[in-house]
Amino acid sequence: MSIQWFPGHMTSARKKAAETLAVADVVVEVLDARLPAASSNPMIGELRAFRQRPCLKILNKADLADPAATRAWLQHFSAQPGVSAVAISCKKAGDVAKIPALAQKLAPHRSDAVKPLRLMIMGIPNVGKSTLLNALVKKKVAAVGDQPAVTKSQQRIDINPRLTLYDTPGMLWPKIAAPVDGLMLAASHAVGVNAYIGEDVAFFLADYLLQVYPALLTARYGFAVDGLDGVAIIEAVAKKRGCRQPGGEWDMEKAAAVLLTDYRSGALGRISLETPALREARQAAGIAPVVVDQSNIDSSL
């Protein structure tokens, strides 16, 4: 199943982002901690490399991700030149408070009212950019919603004389090369619902959970998973939750929605859909795109 979603406003958003990046000092790229590589827009890497800007990668929703996987991703990203990484929950004020100081280390020459630090917040839809922005400003300046592409225009906010933020709309890229990336993005609610079939995404998620987190399925739904596949998992969820169609057949669409909602909300437990090692294995098997290193930049700019 190939999932593609690139609404028209994202083209203009990319052009505006390229213009604004010329005056920004640090890119603050917000990622979903459950799928940090799949939720990293390659266009952001290209723009950042062209302008030679350092990057602070924010692994948001870390409270929903597998802690061991998150530690591996932090080590992976922090090994890249000009890149720093931190795992947070944008809903926690203490976590958000760390961001300016971490960004400052990437641009030490921008540290006073004459040369204020200018941060550009970027990322794909529904990873928490607006929540981060509101927490940094300490008031609601960006719309927040549990749907992708809530923010559609860019805005500048002067936090204080020493710190300026540029908020950008969530941007995907024109073609998601690997179907597995599209499935992870859909499972995590980063693409519009019209771009995928919920049951197919749930089958993918159920298969993955069977391989990596089978105990979480049993703990949540109360059935043994031995001998089941993804389709059988969704049917078992339908039986446990009483999801029936008017004719009495099991409602697989409704059961699929139950699984996806439980994953997205964290009700299933702390789950990561990829690790650096798993991503490398998928690349070797040809089921994930090979990532071109965009990180060789001069962090002293």
Side-chain angles (χ1 to χ4, degrees):
M1 180 182 182
S2 180
I3 296 172
Q4 307 295 335
W5 191 59
F6 194 69
H9 76 274
M10 290 186 183
T11 299
S12 59
R14 184 193 184 282
K15 293 179 181 178
K16 182 63 176 175
E19 295 171 2
T20 304
L21 193 54
V23 299
D25 302 304
V26 177
V27 172
V28 177
E29 184 181 11
V30 185
L31 307 172
D32 188 324
R34 298 167 296 181
L35 52 154
S39 62
S40 181
N41 185 339
M43 292 195 305
I44 294 176
E46 292 167 5
L47 292 172
R48 187 171 66 79
F50 178 74
R51 288 292 180 184
Q52 295 187 308
R53 295 296 188 260
C55 183
L56 175 61
K57 290 184 181 285
I58 306 291
L59 277 63
N60 188 32
K61 306 183 183 181
D63 54 325
L64 303 179
D66 184 327
T70 298
R71 286 193 295 271
W73 281 113
L74 290 175
Q75 184 177 9
H76 171 81
F77 288 130
S78 295
Q80 299 174 357
V83 175
S84 182
V86 62
I88 70 168
S89 168
C90 286
K91 296 180 180 180
K92 297 180 179 179
D95 284 0
V96 174
K98 305 173 185 176
I99 304 304
L102 291 172
Q104 184 72 69
K105 291 179 180 179
L106 292 168
H109 64 296
R110 308 289 303 194
S111 59
D112 55 37
V114 177
K115 292 184 177 181
L117 179 64
R118 301 163 298 186
L119 306 182
M120 189 164 179
I121 301 175
M122 304 183 76
I124 68 169
N126 212 26
V127 290
K129 297 184 307 302
S130 294
T131 302
L132 173 64
L133 183 68
N134 291 338
L136 285 168
V137 179
K138 297 182 180 178
K139 64 180 180 179
K140 187 174 182 180
V141 294
V144 177
D146 189 26
Q147 295 291 335
V150 171
T151 301
K152 291 184 171 62
S153 61
Q154 189 177 116
Q155 62 176 324
R156 169 180 168 163
I157 301 168
D158 295 316
I159 301 293
N160 56 53
R162 302 177 58 156
L163 180 62
T164 295
L165 303 180
Y166 295 94
D167 180 37
T168 62
M171 295 188 299
L172 282 170
W173 50 106
K175 182 176 175 56
I176 299 172
V180 68
D181 282 356
L183 289 164
M184 285 191 286
L185 290 167
S188 303
H189 211 18
V191 300
V193 295
N194 293 330
Y196 61 89
I197 298 171
E199 290 171 70
D200 290 344
V201 175
F203 294 156
F204 156 77
L205 179 61
D207 276 327
Y208 177 80
L209 295 174
L210 276 171
Q211 297 175 40
V212 185
Y213 301 101
L216 295 183
L217 286 169
T218 299
R220 178 64 178 171
Y221 302 115
F223 55 75
V225 299
D226 295 343
L228 301 183
D229 60 12
V231 176
I233 288 292
I234 301 303
E235 184 175 347
V237 171
K239 293 176 180 177
K240 278 289 184 178
R241 295 300 173 86
C243 302
R244 287 188 181 273
Q245 296 178 350
E249 295 183 358
W250 297 117
D251 192 332
M252 300 291 278
E253 181 179 358
K254 187 174 181 179
V258 168
L259 181 71
L260 290 173
T261 299
D262 284 351
Y263 159 69
R264 291 165 179 170
S265 67
L268 265 171
R270 301 183 68 171
I271 293 166
S272 292
L273 298 184
E274 60 177 358
T275 64
L278 178 57
R279 183 125 189 127
E280 185 177 348
R282 285 170 171 167
Q283 290 172 355
I287 57 176
V290 175
V291 178
V292 177
D293 185 7
Q294 301 282 358
S295 63
N296 188 20
I297 60 176
D298 183 357
S299 62
S300 67
L301 292 173

